[in-house]
Amino acid sequence: MKDITVVIGNYNYARFLREAIDSALANVPASAGSGERVRVLVIDDGSTDDSRAIIESYGDRVTPVFKENQGQSSVYNLGLSLVQTEYVLFLDSDDILYPEAIGEVLRAFESGDYAKVQFRLDVIGEDGMRTGVRVPNSTPPSDCAALLRRGWLYPSPPASGNAYRVSALRSVFPIPMSLHHRKAADFFAIYGIALTGAICALDNALGGYRVHRKAEDKRGHSVGHAGLSLGNCEDVSEVERSFPWRWQTLRHMIRTRLGEDLPEHFIDFSFEKNRLCVRLYDAPTTERWHWLIFESHRYFTSLVRNPYWSLGKKLGVLGLTLLCLIPNRQANNFALRYISNPAARFAAHGSAAARG
């Protein structure tokens, strides 16, 4: 019997929660003879909206857990301690799974000795409509561990696009709890799991990643700035602040639980492009030139040496980056929006795809 638990973590997302639960339940086999068992565990992290009533309305179709608010990391830690299945998928309560998702994930696990199966997600707007963008944009090799040991973070979808072998994830978890570690639990799962076994990356989209909050960066509030980010939890400035201590925490987890030492510094284009955008968006031409000439070494290293990208993609991003040297703020901001978030091309037309 192949079995998996879909753990839905929720905090004050009543407006999306029912759609998330329904999408998980749509993956539960109609008959016991299907050879698959799918459980749905909903952990509410101290919501103050109507989430509890929504969860309770499902009766015994889901297993509910209500707890005080401690952040996403506490949901991952608790969920992993409660699951009794071989595999687990953590679904954010503002995202959805497609009806065929779990079946394809379980078939992938059965096809090899994988610690994780990941799949692409369609980016959807607040109304659930697909934007035409999928994440991630690149496919990692099955052995991501070798590159991670050199500091390279591999391409992965956000939380909802990853399913894990429970025993492998437990060898790395739990996440140390502190005020710093309340969010972004998927970072530790996604990269920690790579050191426990091979990863299977499915190219087809099996779910939807909902983008519904305008991002803010340190320069202000605008549609353009919203287009700089594709995440709901953090803007581009917060990413720059948070990633270094996340990496150090992951290093600690790997050292103490797996006995390995990761490099002191990580290399990741997603992180470096955030630094680029924070520095150069709406910046004067002289400031852009100065940063690109004197302070951009890590950015260009993460671009030129990127082991996951084709030469054509590298040249395309390099060309967009060089647009920032042109003394035209409109061209500069367009290039930065496109580098940071390809979905931002919809922002110019007022699409929800640029909500971040």
Side-chain angles (χ1 to χ4, degrees):
M1 172 78 71
K2 297 176 288 185
D3 57 1
I4 186 170
T5 300
V6 178
V7 178
I8 302 176
N10 175 69
Y11 177 66
N12 282 345
Y13 272 167
R15 66 191 188 277
F16 304 127
L17 179 58
R18 190 173 295 279
E19 191 175 357
I21 296 176
D22 287 345
S23 76
L25 290 173
N27 280 270
V28 177
S31 65
S34 66
E36 299 175 357
R37 182 177 62 172
V38 182
R39 298 180 174 181
V40 179
L41 170 64
V42 184
I43 302 178
D44 186 80
D45 191 36
S47 294
T48 57
D49 59 5
D50 295 330
S51 293
R52 186 182 188 109
I54 292 172
I55 296 169
E56 290 177 338
S57 71
Y58 285 88
D60 60 4
R61 298 177 67 196
V62 305
T63 300
V65 175
F66 301 98
K67 59 185 286 296
E68 64 177 339
N69 178 249
Q70 295 173 304
Q72 187 191 42
S73 292
S74 71
V75 171
Y76 270 55
N77 286 345
L78 178 59
L80 191 60
S81 72
L82 293 176
V83 297
Q84 300 177 17
T85 52
E86 187 173 1
Y87 308 109
V88 64
L89 186 152
F90 290 92
L91 176 66
D92 286 346
S93 57
D94 53 344
D95 295 340
I96 58 172
L97 294 175
Y98 297 158
E100 70 278 12
I102 295 301
E104 292 203 31
V105 164
L106 290 175
R107 284 191 290 273
F109 270 120
E110 294 299 308
S111 70
D113 187 20
Y114 296 114
K116 188 187 89 160
V117 172
Q118 68 177 53
F119 49 87
R120 296 184 193 274
L121 296 171
D122 287 318
V123 177
I124 60 177
E126 186 162 358
D127 57 2
M129 297 297 292
R130 299 180 190 181
T131 66
V133 176
R134 290 182 173 181
V135 288
N137 296 313
S138 304
T139 301
S142 60
D143 182 14
C144 296
L147 288 164
L148 190 65
R149 290 184 177 106
R150 290 163 45 197
W152 283 96
L153 302 186
Y154 69 91
S156 173
S160 302
N162 302 275
Y164 307 91
R165 186 180 295 275
V166 170
S167 58
L169 196 56
R170 283 176 175 166
S171 70
V172 178
F173 271 45
I175 303 168
M177 289 301 299
S178 74
L179 290 176
H180 290 299
H181 300 115
R182 289 176 61 89
K183 296 193 295 186
D186 54 325
F187 179 93
F188 305 105
I190 287 167
Y191 299 114
I193 200 74
L195 296 174
T196 70
I199 290 170
C200 176
L202 303 178
D203 285 332
N204 47 331
L206 298 178
Y209 172 60
R210 195 186 309 266
V211 182
H212 54 85
R213 187 184 73 87
K214 286 190 175 182
E216 303 169 5
D217 75 7
K218 67 179 184 179
R219 295 181 184 275
H221 310 260
S222 71
V223 172
H225 288 87
L228 291 177
S229 177
L230 192 56
N232 295 319
C233 296
E234 298 172 307
D235 59 36
V236 289
S237 299
E238 188 173 358
V239 167
E240 182 177 3
R241 293 190 299 268
S242 63
F243 260 56
W245 60 254
R246 284 182 201 161
W247 177 252
Q248 295 307 318
T249 300
L250 179 65
R251 292 182 70 223
H252 171 76
M253 292 169 65
I254 297 303
R255 184 186 308 114
T256 57
R257 288 155 200 177
L258 298 182
E260 290 196 48
D261 285 316
L262 292 175
E264 183 176 355
H265 301 290
F266 65 91
I267 312 171
D268 179 50
F269 180 76
S270 295
F271 174 75
E272 296 302 332
K273 74 181 182 182
N274 274 279
R275 296 182 68 242
L276 171 85
C277 293
V278 168
R279 299 298 190 280
L280 303 191
Y281 197 87
D282 267 348
T285 302
T286 53
E287 185 176 327
R288 283 184 264 135
W289 273 72
H290 182 274
W291 192 89
L292 287 168
I293 293 173
F294 298 107
E295 302 178 42
S296 60
H297 173 72
R298 286 178 57 90
Y299 172 81
F300 284 110
T301 296
S302 70
L303 170 57
V304 175
R305 293 175 53 196
N306 194 312
Y308 310 111
W309 285 11
S310 66
L311 177 60
K313 187 170 183 177
K314 292 179 182 179
L315 291 175
V317 176
L318 181 60
L320 284 169
T321 303
L322 295 179
L323 282 179
C324 297
L325 296 172
I326 298 175
N328 181 299
R329 187 164 295 186
Q330 184 176 3
N332 170 68
N333 291 349
F334 166 81
L336 292 175
R337 286 197 301 270
Y338 205 101
I339 291 170
S340 179
N341 170 12
R345 63 181 179 269
F346 295 95
H349 305 290
S351 169
R355 297 192 183 105

